[in-house]
Amino acid sequence: MKIRVIGVPLDLGQERRGVDMGPSAVRAAGLHQVLKNLGYQVEDDGNIHVRLPEEQHYGDRRAKYLKEIAETSRQVAKRVYETLGAGYFPLSLGGDHSVAVGTQAGVSRFYRERQQQLGCLWIDAHADMNTPKTSPSGNVHGMPLAATLGRGPGSLSRIFGFAPKIPPQKCVLIGARSLDARERRFVKESGITVFTMRDVDELGMRTVMEKSVALAGNATTVFVVSFDVDVVDPDEAPGVGTPVPGGITYREAHLAMEIVADSGKMVAFELVEINPILDVMNKTAILGVGLVGSALGKKIL
């Protein structure tokens, strides 16, 4: 398989500076060598241009920098779509989680045109299912899963002119432990499957992932993995902007990705929310590279 790395240094979706350096941190942590050691041909497509917050006002307080994020999302969607069309596996590096709006749209269009079903594993401490009407902060990095499901501003949810990008019954949220009050209602009514940290604690990561893979992908369905590093406990992943105690462990994270690899159903991967300014000696980026390796087939034996 050929892999194309797409950097998206987007930090407009949240308020803690530094996450735009995430793609560079992941590359510096040895991403390319890990992929090459696994036998992949790697092409780095560089970084998509993203406007700086200093260049403009944030606009509507309910969805800050919406115009600029939508513009970047369209670029990401086009690049991901073209990457799949060229026979490459798209590996998106964020940036904050609003990157996912474009990644999901690009993959969805590609498989929609081939009349093949698409699912999603959204691995995150947060649900990311706010809209401008429910968000307490107006930060768009808390809205990308809602957009993927067809809710919220059309400039995000209707890229390429259709919505939803992925049907809710094929979306699985894993590791959630921090939801906004008004967001909870939509999560419960949306039709997605949610495995909270309590579920992970009670069932174990193996069972959670086996159920998740079965829901998101079956004989005729493939899936995208959207991995927000803040799903991991802050002791293991300190370099994130919205840390939440009580996350998954180092080994649980790797086991989850190993089960993804075993399924053979993953068609795109994105790694988001690594903030080197908040990190300790690039620890979180090094973890992220290891998790990408596990998702793409690296084994202990």
Side-chain angles (χ1 to χ4, degrees), residues 16-189:
R16 302 196 71 172
R17 303 304 302 276
V19 74
D20 58 315
M21 295 185 280
S24 294
V26 172
R27 290 178 174 114
L31 175 67
H32 291 66
Q33 194 57 54
V34 166
L35 297 176
K36 289 175 182 177
N37 289 346
L38 291 170
Y40 294 110
Q41 176 184 332
V42 183
E43 174 184 298
D44 198 314
D45 208 30
N47 287 349
I48 286 175
H49 175 71
V50 180
R51 295 179 68 180
L52 299 174
E54 290 82 4
E55 293 180 324
Q56 63 275 310
H57 188 268
Y58 59 73
D60 189 342
R61 189 179 298 276
R62 297 171 301 173
K64 298 171 186 174
Y65 300 106
L66 175 61
K67 178 182 176 182
E68 292 76 19
I69 291 170
E71 177 184 327
T72 300
S73 297
R74 289 190 293 270
Q75 292 184 61
V76 175
K78 182 174 182 291
R79 193 78 60 89
V80 168
Y81 172 76
E82 292 172 348
T83 293
L84 287 163
Y88 285 82
F89 176 96
L91 174 55
S92 300
L93 306 178
D96 68 59
H97 213 157
S98 53
V99 167
V101 173
T103 302
Q104 306 290 332
V107 181
S108 179
R109 178 185 176 188
F110 181 83
Y111 284 96
R112 175 186 172 94
E113 290 178 350
R114 285 151 184 80
Q115 298 183 332
Q116 186 170 358
Q117 284 192 317
L118 180 67
C120 177
L121 300 182
W122 198 279
I123 305 173
D124 197 332
H126 308 89
D128 293 349
M129 290 175 68
N130 273 303
T131 68
K133 292 181 179 180
T134 65
S135 173
S137 68
N139 292 331
V140 176
H141 79 154
M143 305 180 190
L145 184 49
T148 296
L149 297 172
R151 288 177 60 99
S155 59
L156 301 179
S157 63
R158 296 196 60 82
I159 293 173
F160 296 133
F162 69 93
K165 296 300 184 290
I166 300 175
Q169 65 270 22
K170 288 295 179 182
C171 286
V172 186
L173 172 61
I174 301 163
R177 58 190 185 277
S178 177
L179 280 71
D180 294 320
R182 297 178 66 190
E183 180 184 36
R184 285 191 176 93
R185 178 178 176 182
F186 176 49
V187 172
K188 291 177 179 179
E189 296 174 352

